[in-house]
Amino acid sequence: SAGLVNIRTNDPQIGSLSGRIFSEYGKLDNANNTSLFRMQGIANLPLSSDAAVRINGFYVKNSALQKNVVPNPNFEGGLRQIGGSAKLLWEPTDRISVLLSGDYMDSRGAGGGVASFRVVTPASPLASILPGLGITPGVGNSKSAYDGPTFYDLRVGGGQAKISYQFDDGLTLTNIAAYRDFKTSQAFDPDYSPLPLVQFFGGGITAKQFSDELRLTSPTGGRLEYQAGLFLLKASVRESAVLAASLGMAVPPGFTTILGADNFWRQHLGSYAAYGQGTYRLTDSLRLTAGARLTHETINMRYETTAGGGVAALVPVSADDQESRSETNFSWRTTLQYDLDPDWMVYGTAARGYKGPGYAQYSFSYVRPEISTHFEIGSKAQFFDRKLTVNVSAFNTTFKDFQAESIDFTTLTFLLQNAGKLRTRGAELQILARPFPRLTLNAGLAYTDARFLSFVGDTCYVGQPDCVNGVTDSSGRRLANAPKWKGLVDVSYEQPLGDEFAASLNVGVSSQSSYNFLSNGNPSALQKGYTTLDVGLALTQKDMDWTLRAFCRNCTDKHFVSTVQGHPFFGGDHIQNLSYNGFRQLGLALDLKF
């Protein structure tokens, strides 16, 4: 509802024969001495005078990010990914363009999804078990003790057809039809230990979606440039989850476990929209851009849960039932841009965003749409014959009915709920300088103050002083995973070595302030601020166009993690998910172009 990052891969180039092979191998400085390997190959092949294909394939093989100290043949803690994509471009005339594309990936292994112990209280049963296994809880702990099945398998792929036709007057009509398929199967040990508490917890998701967009685009270069279109999306999502926990107790006859749950969800989603946007040049230096989108969405939820053979149910038992909702929204955006000179532009933007509705897990609890109101001013400038680029912006965004995620430790479930109101405001600065042909300096600084203005129903952490009936008022607290300060400085220098070779040195420093992984302000979920150092040294052969690079990432071995949450069974204990970037990595990379 507040913007996105749009990554576009290269289209085929007609008449060009080229390729690239990239490979990288690295080792992490952690308990398992994790190895990381990836290889990617890209080829652009001309098929005729009016057609070309671009093919991309990749392979990733990482050993386990954590060392599992408990014998477990069903522990898949590493990561193996294989996949690729292809695009076919056909331009039979100057007016017609056909682009067909498809992609597929098969991923096996939990990778960074395995959790380790961050905090264990003296009263916890784990306090006397973990030392004997050689596990010391803490932010740098890369040892786990899973005794249950642990894996995560993912298959995802899809195809797209983009057909464009340009009329005599320069108008272009484009239709984009796409289909995607997503399927997961997973299991993990939710007590994160060798204790006989949980026998199994797993499930899977199957999702399919079809979309079509019809768009009319004006020619460029005129006083008025515009586009307008229609959009349709139909999707279905099916999810199941099974849990069986004996809790270390004897199971009575007629039951298969003490605590059980067998859950099934199915959602049908529909989204229909009409949109338009135009840019009008008021003067040679002043431009006004305005756009709007009318969206209608429908959602149908079917849900059923049973005790799954358990003496007691993990979540309230619900008979097979379904519910439907619909929402209609009008969102808009307007921007005013002014060129102070050909290399300096200032702008101001106001926008209203929208994020669709949904249902919370394990219930029919409806989550209302999230509405954002955004204001931004900024400047983009280049100086000294474009050797210096300076971009600066300031923003203020408020979210009504912000869709917040949290964990309810009473029912051991993840919650999606409306938080009332959230505000983020701040400023960003980016500097890119090339004072000399061989030297490049890149720096960035961001300040973000993200706080809940209203969030009265947040879940509590164990022992929270202001907890009432299992909920706390997080109004005024900072948004989870949102550091106030982030900054980076990157310096690159290239030195020719005769006529054939060149050497380059790259040094990067990034830093960010502290933040909390949970919105309720849990002190055990606090990530302290940290600064990392990356160094790379490369040798390039100009004629053969290859580059061999030695690198050190996070050279000072600063430990940080990707998530922190409370333990589901032992109050006060906390677990964490590690990050590949949270350990020192040394490696080599080879990049060959032809």
Side-chain angles (χ1 to χ4, degrees):
S1 63
L4 54 81
V5 176
N6 183 25
I7 300 175
R8 294 185 57 188
T9 57
N10 290 331
D11 291 339
Q13 296 181 353
I14 296 177
S16 174
L17 175 62
S18 63
R20 179 180 180 183
I21 298 176
F22 177 84
S23 62
E24 180 179 286
Y25 178 81
K27 296 279 285 187
L28 297 185
D29 188 8
N30 60 354
N32 202 43
N33 292 318
T34 300
S35 62
L36 309 174
F37 174 77
R38 65 186 180 103
M39 175 175 284
Q40 183 176 13
I42 303 172
N44 191 97
L45 307 173
L47 301 179
S48 64
S49 60
D50 56 11
V53 63
R54 186 177 181 88
I55 303 172
N56 168 45
F58 65 89
Y59 176 75
V60 175
K61 180 65 175 178
N62 300 339
S63 60
L65 183 56
Q66 299 190 43
K67 182 177 181 180
N68 198 56
V69 299
V70 176
N72 185 353
N74 298 315
F75 179 82
E76 297 181 13
L79 180 66
R80 192 278 294 157
Q81 294 181 335
I82 186 169
S85 62
K87 287 186 176 183
L88 171 64
L89 177 62
W90 179 45
E91 295 181 341
T93 70
D94 294 339
R95 296 187 179 186
I96 299 176
S97 174
V98 179
L99 179 64
L100 305 179
S101 59
D103 66 275
Y104 178 79
M105 181 185 73
D106 184 282
S107 178
R108 303 293 174 92
V114 179
S116 69
F117 286 98
R118 181 184 183 94
V119 176
V120 173
T121 65
S124 170
L126 298 172
S128 60
I129 296 175
L130 298 183
L133 299 174
I135 296 178
T136 302
V139 66
N141 174 29
S142 55
K143 294 182 179 180
S144 57
Y146 282 49
D147 66 346
T150 302
F151 62 87
Y152 181 81
D153 297 339
L154 162 67
R155 289 180 293 174
V156 61
Q160 176 179 286
K162 179 181 179 181
I163 303 175
S164 299
Y165 180 82
Q166 189 176 84
F167 297 93
D168 290 337
D169 56 3
L171 285 173
T172 301
L173 183 65
T174 303
N175 191 84
I176 305 173
Y179 172 82
R180 294 203 66 76
D181 189 281
F182 174 93
K183 187 174 183 179
T184 68
S185 177
Q186 60 182 319
F188 72 99
D189 185 358
D191 60 37
Y192 310 98
S193 74
L195 294 175
L197 299 178
V198 181
Q199 299 118 296
F200 181 80
F201 181 73
I205 301 174
T206 299
K208 299 179 180 181
Q209 71 174 49
F210 169 80
S211 64
D212 191 81
E213 180 178 0
L214 181 65
R215 181 174 64 222
L216 184 67
T217 307
S218 71
T220 60
R223 182 173 289 273
L224 175 63
E225 299 178 4
Y226 62 88
Q227 61 176 323
L230 301 172
F231 178 79
L232 161 71
L233 181 142
K234 301 288 286 185
S236 65
V237 182
R238 295 177 180 270
E239 182 175 359
S240 63
V242 176
L243 181 139
S246 64
L247 306 180
M249 302 166 58
V251 179
F255 298 94
T256 59
T257 187
I258 298 297
L259 186 65
D262 193 345
N263 304 279
F264 171 79
W265 305 262
R266 185 225 61 200
Q267 293 191 47
H268 288 310
L269 311 171
S271 182
Y272 317 88
Y275 67 89
Q277 179 170 296
T279 298
Y280 185 75
R281 295 181 178 272
L282 301 170
T283 68
D284 291 341
S285 300
L286 185 63
R287 298 176 300 280
L288 175 65
T289 299
R293 180 185 182 102
L294 181 64
T295 303
H296 179 74
E297 294 191 316
T298 62
I299 179 171
N300 177 271
M301 172 74 165
R302 177 186 170 191
Y303 172 60
E304 178 184 11
T305 180
T306 68
V311 177
L314 173 67
V315 295
V317 172
S318 172
D320 187 358
D321 198 1
Q322 60 181 324
E323 182 177 303
S324 298
R325 296 287 187 104
S326 64
E327 298 282 352
T328 301
N329 174 265
F330 181 77
S331 54
W332 52 267
R333 178 178 182 269
T334 181
T335 299
L336 191 65
Q337 298 177 333
Y338 182 73
D339 297 330
L340 298 174
D341 62 45
D343 294 325
W344 192 350
M345 182 268 287
V346 294
Y347 68 94
T349 295
R352 177 70 58 85
Y354 168 78
K355 183 177 180 181
Y359 284 92
Q361 195 178 31
Y362 302 110
S363 73
F364 276 118
S365 179
Y366 185 66
V367 182
R368 298 182 299 277
E370 176 182 296
I371 307 296
S372 63
T373 303
H374 175 76
F375 298 97
E376 181 178 342
I377 57 174
S379 166
K380 299 179 182 294
Q382 293 182 311
F383 305 101
F384 308 116
D385 195 24
R386 301 190 176 183
K387 293 181 180 179
L388 175 65
T389 299
V390 180
N391 299 329
V392 61
S393 63
F395 61 90
N396 187 95
T397 309
T398 56
F399 299 82
K400 180 183 178 182
D401 287 331
F402 179 77
Q403 295 177 359
E405 295 181 353
S406 58
I407 303 174
D408 184 350
F409 289 104
T410 303
T411 59
L412 307 181
T413 57
F414 291 91
L415 295 180
L416 179 66
Q417 57 184 322
N418 293 111
K421 199 169 187 179
L422 172 77
R423 181 191 65 199
T424 66
R425 57 185 179 184
E428 296 181 352
L429 171 67
Q430 181 185 18
I431 298 175
L432 178 64
R434 296 186 178 92
F436 308 106
R438 302 173 187 170
L439 181 65
T440 302
L441 306 174
N442 186 12
L445 181 65
Y447 170 78
T448 305
D449 181 23
R451 295 183 180 275
F452 291 103
L453 301 182
S454 175
F455 191 5
V456 296
D458 197 4
T459 57
C460 302
Y461 62 86
V462 176
Q464 185 159 357
D466 58 352
C467 183
V468 179
N469 296 325
V471 298
T472 183
D473 186 354
S474 288
S475 304
R477 293 193 175 107
R478 288 165 55 185
L479 178 68
N481 302 308
K484 276 191 174 183
W485 292 97
K486 295 185 73 173
L488 67 88
V489 177
D490 188 89
V491 181
S492 298
Y493 181 78
E494 182 176 322
Q495 176 63 48
L497 301 176
D499 295 332
E500 290 189 42
F501 295 92
S504 60
L505 174 67
N506 176 262
V507 178
V509 177
S510 63
S511 183
Q512 61 185 44
S513 60
S514 63
Y515 55 94
N516 201 298
F517 285 103
L518 300 176
S519 56
N520 55 25
N522 187 339
S524 296
L526 180 68
Q527 172 65 63
K528 296 181 179 179
Y530 57 88
T531 300
T532 60
L533 170 67
D534 298 338
V535 179
L537 181 63
L539 178 66
T540 300
Q541 211 283 349
K542 299 179 181 178
D543 293 337
M544 297 182 64
D545 205 3
W546 58 259
T547 299
L548 179 64
R549 178 178 292 104
F551 60 84
C552 172
R553 296 169 183 159
N554 191 1
C555 297
T556 55
D557 200 28
K558 293 293 184 181
H559 297 310
F560 52 91
V561 299
S562 58
T563 64
V564 175
Q565 65 189 52
H567 194 282
F569 297 112
F570 307 125
D573 290 359
H574 287 74
I575 57 173
Q576 61 189 3
N577 287 94
L578 303 181
S579 167
Y580 286 101
N581 298 324
F583 299 92
R584 180 190 296 115
Q585 181 183 169
L586 301 177
L588 292 172
L590 177 64
D591 193 355
L592 174 62
K593 301 177 183 178
F594 55 90

